[in-house]
Amino acid sequence: EFLTPQKGIDTPLGQALQTYLSQPWNTIHAFSDKLPHVYLAVYLAQYKQGLLQSSVRSATMDYLETLPSLSALQHLPLFWDQAMLEELQCSVVKNAVRSRREEWKQEFVVIHRAIKSMGLPSPFSSLTLQTWYW
């Protein structure tokens, strides 16, 4: 495996998230069965935003370079704008996209709270919701 949740945990953002989730008032998030996936997303989002620094070529970096760009994914309903989604009216796809976006938006909110509470440098706070969706 090129990517594991540990790769996300080992990043500054992963460390900030882990510290944030260790606070007593955040334990509800810390026990989520989705947390390993969130740490994978943390790693990928940092890569996509250019926040991962690596001077050494690795199989992981080679793999990451094969992932599609955000613009290459615009045909997927998850990336459609609101007007395009409205054309679906009450379809299962529209409801699924809304549900998935809301779920990921809540994760994104937690990520930004961790960034803010741990005082990470401003490049980390530039992480976008679109990148998180990616």
Side-chain angles (χ1 to χ4, degrees):
E1 292 182 5
F2 290 122
L3 299 178
T4 64
Q6 190 61 46
K7 281 211 177 269
I9 292 169
D10 291 341
T11 65
L13 181 50
Q15 291 293 305
L17 180 60
Q18 200 169 40
T19 301
Y20 180 77
L21 294 177
S22 70
Q23 304 302 317
W25 55 87
N26 293 321
T27 56
I28 190 167
H29 302 295
F31 298 106
S32 169
D33 60 337
K34 296 178 185 179
L35 203 51
H37 303 289
V38 169
Y39 282 114
L40 284 173
V42 160
Y43 187 82
L44 290 170
Q46 287 177 93
Y47 164 75
K48 198 63 174 165
Q49 288 283 141
L51 297 172
L52 292 180
Q53 303 300 322
S54 178
S55 58
V56 179
R57 284 304 294 172
S58 67
T60 302
M61 292 312 246
D62 290 341
Y63 169 73
L64 291 172
E65 288 178 5
T66 69
L67 296 176
S69 67
L70 192 56
S71 62
L73 299 175
Q74 295 305 306
H75 66 284
L76 297 175
L78 185 64
F79 297 101
W80 290 357
D81 63 27
Q82 194 58 37
M84 290 177 75
L85 283 176
E86 289 305 320
E87 290 181 16
L88 295 175
Q89 297 179 9
C90 294
S91 75
V92 173
V93 172
K94 180 180 178 180
N95 293 334
V97 167
R98 282 189 173 163
S99 174
R100 180 60 54 102
R101 281 183 178 175
E102 185 56 35
E103 180 182 324
W104 287 347
K105 187 176 181 181
Q106 293 306 314
E107 292 172 359
F108 186 73
V109 166
V110 171
I111 295 294
H112 267 273
R113 285 181 183 156
I115 289 169
K116 191 173 186 177
S117 71
M118 297 300 121
L120 287 180
S122 60
F124 288 97
S125 60
S126 70
L127 184 68
T128 67
L129 185 56
Q130 281 298 97
T131 300
W132 189 252
Y133 287 165
W134 174 86

